[in-house]
Amino acid sequence: MNRVYFIGAGPGDPELMTFRGARLLAECRTVYAFSPFDETFVELLSGKELFDPYDYPFDGLLAQLERQRQQGPVAFLVPGDLSFFCPFQALIEHFGDQAEVVPGVGTVNAASALLKRTLNLSGKCSRTLIVSPRVLEEQPGSPALEELAAPGVTLVIYMNHLPLAELVARLRRGYGSNVPIALVHRLGFTGQKVLCGTLDDIVELSSGQVFFAANGGRRSDLTLVLVGETLTAPVDHSWWDKRYQRRDSE
């Protein structure tokens, strides 16, 4: 029986797909993709049967996939990759050995590259946490966002459903001071934009620009939020020469 491939599609730019992912996608006549991936990948999807996986109940989707893979391999374009907040885990478990996950460039990796900043910076940031305010609220017993926002922590915030002013106020309570923040909107898609500022001025800087759904709500737009000192902290390069000297003495 033909396989079902879950192919990391990067944050939206087809050039960030791996060679393996592109090759397997080319072999599949049937592809499931969310909007707007069906738009940005239009050239790679030409001539294929396209489906939105959310157009079907779970059992109906499974039944359809069983029919489709009798005709050939089937591909799912996975936003970012499977690592964080991916909706396809249940499908992968259902197909077991007949499912194959192909990693892609994750959204957080692409955002870090776009900003040209390492998210764990020695002496400034000891850990990076990837969170979603919406998921924290939905999971009983989860820490509040304020508890995770702390000096020395870089937060990468997916699927934010909070109005920006509320999000910033909660982050301020956690960090306890003014720290840098970056809003990366529609990363990899048309209309990509980046706004950098601090917790003091980001609300004013974003005035008149659409980054999130109006008035919050359950809908979260395609904006990744990165917060923490590492976004602007100067780098102490003295460790480089220390490493060089250590190597020279070995």
Side-chain angles (χ1 to χ4, degrees):
M1 182 66 71
N2 292 297
R3 293 192 139 197
V4 180
Y5 296 105
F6 296 84
I7 301 173
D13 184 346
E15 291 189 351
L16 296 181
M17 176 181 282
T18 65
F19 288 119
R20 177 171 175 75
R23 176 175 62 78
L24 291 174
L25 180 62
E27 296 175 1
C28 295
R29 179 172 174 267
T30 302
V31 179
Y32 286 81
F34 298 120
S35 179
F37 283 81
D38 55 347
E39 301 170 9
T40 55
F41 281 75
V42 62
E43 293 184 7
L44 296 178
L45 299 176
S46 177
K48 301 182 184 298
E49 289 186 311
L50 298 180
F51 299 88
D52 185 329
Y54 283 162
D55 284 345
Y56 309 90
F58 188 75
D59 288 342
L61 178 59
L62 291 180
Q64 178 165 281
L65 285 168
E66 291 294 357
R67 294 191 298 269
Q68 291 170 331
R69 71 191 191 106
Q70 291 178 15
Q71 308 301 318
V74 178
F76 282 77
L77 285 182
V78 179
D81 60 19
L82 191 76
S83 302
F84 308 106
F85 305 113
C86 178
F88 298 133
Q89 187 64 52
L91 290 172
I92 293 168
E93 291 182 6
H94 172 82
F95 286 107
D97 291 342
Q98 297 302 308
E100 182 173 341
V101 178
V102 182
V105 174
T107 303
V108 63
N109 306 105
S112 173
L114 181 65
L115 296 172
K116 300 181 182 179
R117 299 297 299 189
T118 181
L119 300 183
N120 273 35
L121 184 62
S122 179
K124 295 295 180 180
C125 171
S126 60
R127 57 211 180 275
T128 297
L129 304 180
I130 297 176
V131 300
S132 164
R134 190 181 76 194
V135 174
L136 289 174
E137 289 180 1
E138 293 172 348
Q139 187 68 38
S142 295
L145 184 63
E146 293 89 332
E147 297 177 65
L148 300 177
V153 174
T154 300
L155 285 184
V156 180
I157 301 174
Y158 281 66
M159 300 183 298
N160 171 56
H161 68 293
L162 302 172
L164 183 58
E166 179 181 347
L167 175 68
V168 167
R170 294 180 62 178
L171 291 171
R172 281 298 301 263
R173 288 197 292 271
Y175 280 105
S177 62
N178 186 32
V179 298
I181 182 172
L183 308 180
V184 183
H185 184 61
R186 292 183 63 85
L187 177 62
F189 296 113
T190 56
Q192 172 182 293
K193 58 182 176 181
V194 179
L195 183 65
C196 297
T198 69
L199 294 181
D200 277 352
D201 62 17
I202 194 66
V203 174
E204 182 179 354
L205 290 174
S206 66
S207 178
Q209 303 184 62
V210 177
F211 286 94
F212 302 104
N215 301 318
R218 304 310 295 171
R219 175 172 169 263
S220 53
D221 287 343
L222 295 174
T223 300
L224 191 70
V225 182
L226 299 94
V227 195
E229 300 94 326
T230 190
L231 295 179
T232 59
V235 180
D236 179 6
H237 59 78
S238 61
W239 66 269
W240 191 286
D241 289 334
K242 292 178 182 177
R243 181 168 181 172
Y244 170 78
Q245 293 167 0
R246 185 167 64 249
R247 177 184 176 183
D248 192 50
S249 62
E250 291 177 352

